Amino acid sequence: MSGPDEGFFERVYAVVRRIPRGRVATYGQIAALVGVTRGARAVGWALGGIGPRKAKLPWHRVVGARGRISLDGRASGLVQRKRLRAEGVRFVGGRVDMLRHGLLPKGRSRG
DNA sequence: TCCCTGACTGGTT
DNA sequence: AAACCAGCCAGGG
């Protein structure tokens, strides 16, 4: 059960699945949550391989540092932004307002 | 085992 | 503020 056999990808997906609606997390935060302090890039790479899971995973709640949409400029980026806005996520200067929607106390406060 | 790729990040230019 | 650069991590060939 507590299978450390679970791959890195699965762990990442598990964390992403836990991100509440209307909230977002950065690649770096997710990496830290799965136990890899500087695996932000690896997380992004993992999300790139979600494939069919895409329909069951809130991948749109994952953004770059400072609330940047890494997928910006691509079709998926547009979808991500649209979904986030649909969840009530506020954008400031083209980026997600992390102080308001950040998952971790990196910028969450004064609700 | 070495080399390359990539939904990243932080620091310099 | 935007472009550049170097560092880091997990797969795949």
Side-chain angles (χ1 to χ4, degrees):
Chain A
M1 315 282 257
S2 20
D5 306 76
E6 278 189 352
F8 175 77
F9 283 29
E10 288 304 321
R11 295 187 204 173
V12 171
Y13 301 153
V15 173
V16 172
R17 218 183 304 270
R18 287 173 47 200
I19 304 175
R21 192 168 179 286
R23 204 101 78 184
V24 301
T26 69
Y27 298 90
Q29 290 175 339
I30 293 175
L33 287 174
V34 301
V36 184
T37 308
R38 294 172 180 79
R41 200 164 188 179
V43 169
W45 180 69
L47 285 180
I50 58 180
R53 297 164 182 279
K54 190 175 182 181
K56 295 288 184 178
L57 204 68
W59 56 270
H60 58 283
R61 294 181 190 148
V62 184
V63 300
R66 297 222 314 121
R68 196 165 87 71
I69 301 294
S70 295
L71 284 168
D72 210 8
R74 304 182 212 198
S76 298
L78 216 54
V79 175
Q80 177 171 25
R81 188 176 291 266
K82 183 178 178 181
R83 286 195 183 184
L84 287 176
R85 275 183 62 75
E87 295 185 356
V89 173
R90 177 194 290 220
F91 282 75
V92 178
R95 313 203 196 314
V96 173
D97 183 349
M98 297 305 280
L99 298 181
R100 199 178 170 71
H101 306 284
L103 181 66
L104 301 184
K106 184 62 172 292
R108 190 142 85 28
S109 271
R110 107 195 50 143

